[in-house]
Amino acid sequence: MGDDAIYATNDDAAMCKRFAVQQGYWKDPYIQFLVKAGERKAPEINRGYYARTEGLRSLMRQFLKLTHCACQIVNLGAGFDTNFWLLKDEGLLADVFVELDMRAVTSRKCHMIRTRSKLLEPVQASHGSEPVVIEDAELRSTHYHIMWADMRDLKQVEEKLGQVGLDKNKPTLFLSECVLVYMPLDKSNSLVKWAGTNFSSALILNYEPVNMGDRFGHVMVENLRKRTCALAGVEACQSLETQKARFLSNGWEGAAAMDMMSVYRSLPADDLHRIERLEFMDEREPLQQLMDHYCIAWAWRDVNKIGLESIGFNR
Ligand SMILES: C[S@@+](CC[C@H](N)C(=O)[O-])C[C@H]1O[C@@H](n2cnc3c(N)ncnc32)[C@H](O)[C@@H]1O
């Protein structure tokens, strides 16, 4: 799979998020400055993105509250993610929030931050009086960092995170939102193992396809392949069990996984009621199929026993 096809997956995700935000599924005043408006998306796609972003953000909030924000967040393959701004607006600013992606992606994101004051001002405000440094497709500030690295090269990842000065004894959350599946399994395993064995208190959140072995899964993989986007890491996406196993066999102490329909149903009932009235959906089957084929898996290693095991969804 060419790297161009990998970058394109970010544009696709960002456009879908922008469209769902426009429809009122959740609030994000920042995404409009990062990606142009795309085509209309079907209601089940919007609900899928709602469950994905709200589900992950719910776990991130639990981690930030548990650690009183004295923590580090590493967003692996962050693309045009806006969680730095959104969580900061909620008063949940981590000591360190670092994003990694390919240079072609970080370069565009840095350019947009530099040229759009609505993005730059909050970064500057959390930084101090010296100007935020944006150069060589990277951003450096007190709390927020954007660095480029090809995560298939673990040495490069370590070097870049070393430059940020990550503290391996500080609670650290790794987020990989629809990213590992684009990496060959041996490479994503090395990354997962590095994260799971080098930090004394760490949590990893992973949003990815699941149940790729069934008929619908085969069609999904085939459709992506036709768009020159092979899912190099699809082997780990066979079931919730294989999702958990990738963490448990790579140094993590405990793991859990839920399909997206279960995540969706566990989100606050009043908000579900609100979003279910946004768009009419004549059939439930497409939503069910989509939600059955994505999941959130999460894993923890908690040498210092700060309570990471308690993070999860109400079932
Ligand atoms: C589907 S997008 C998801 C972006 C973001 N996490 C989100 O969910 O909105 C996948 C992202 O992973 C990045 N990515 C994939 N493989 C990568 C690699 N080997 N090194 C760095 N970034 C990678 C892509 O460039 C892209 O931004």
Side-chain angles (χ1 to χ4, degrees), residues 6 9-10 17 52 77-79 101-102 149-151 177-179:
I6 300 184
T9 63
N10 170 53
K17 287 181 183 178
R52 161 177 173 173
D101 209 304
M102 306 277 231
D150 182 340
M151 300 187 306
E177 181 179 348
C178 210
V179 172

Side-chain angles (χ1 to χ4, degrees), residues 261-272:
M261 191 53 104
S262 309
V263 171
Y264 180 76
R265 291 210 183 99
S266 78
L267 293 172
D270 51 347
D271 208 41
L272 283 184

Side-chain angles (χ1 to χ4, degrees), residues 45-211:
I45 303 284
N46 299 329
R47 282 197 200 178
Y49 270 91
Y50 166 81
R52 161 177 173 173
T53 55
E54 290 305 296
L56 289 171
R57 211 159 19 248
S58 151
L59 299 177
M60 291 174 87
R61 281 190 197 105
Q62 291 174 48
F63 177 83
L64 283 155
K65 288 180 181 164
L66 183 76
T67 59
H68 306 285
C69 297
C71 65
Q72 314 175 116
I73 295 182
V74 183
N75 191 340
L76 304 165
F80 292 167
D81 183 85
T82 52
N83 272 306
F84 167 75
W85 291 274
L86 296 176
L87 292 168
K88 178 181 175 294
D89 286 350
E90 291 182 29
L92 295 172
L93 177 65
D95 285 346
V96 177
F97 193 114
V98 46
E99 298 183 349
L100 291 180
D101 209 304
M102 306 277 231
R103 192 189 164 109
V105 176
T106 62
S107 144
R108 286 173 60 204
K109 191 166 188 177
C110 285
H111 173 75
M112 283 178 292
I113 295 173
R114 194 209 310 267
T115 53
R116 281 142 174 102
S117 59
K118 288 277 196 296
L119 296 175
L120 183 58
E121 275 163 13
V123 182
Q124 186 63 60
S126 67
H127 177 58
S129 52
E130 293 291 310
V132 168
V133 178
I134 304 178
E135 59 186 23
D136 188 27
E138 295 188 336
L139 180 151
R140 307 296 298 276
S141 70
T142 312
H143 297 279
Y144 185 41
H145 308 262
I146 301 177
M147 313 287 285
W148 56 262
D150 182 340
M151 300 187 306
R152 291 167 292 197
D153 179 351
L154 186 56
K155 279 221 157 53
Q156 200 175 56
V157 170
E158 282 191 273
E159 189 193 310
K160 291 294 171 118
L161 293 180
Q163 288 174 23
V164 172
L166 276 197
D167 177 351
K168 293 183 175 167
N169 290 313
K170 206 166 190 173
T172 304
L173 180 146
F174 293 90
L175 170 64
S176 72
E177 181 179 348
C178 210
V179 172
L180 299 182
V181 69
Y182 299 113
M183 296 171 63
L185 198 56
D186 59 327
K187 305 289 182 199
S188 62
N189 277 342
S190 304
L191 183 65
V192 163
K193 188 169 192 165
W194 176 82
T197 48
N198 275 282
F199 293 80
S200 47
S201 289
L203 178 72
I204 187 164
L205 312 180
N206 185 43
Y207 171 86
E208 265 198 330
V210 74
N211 296 326

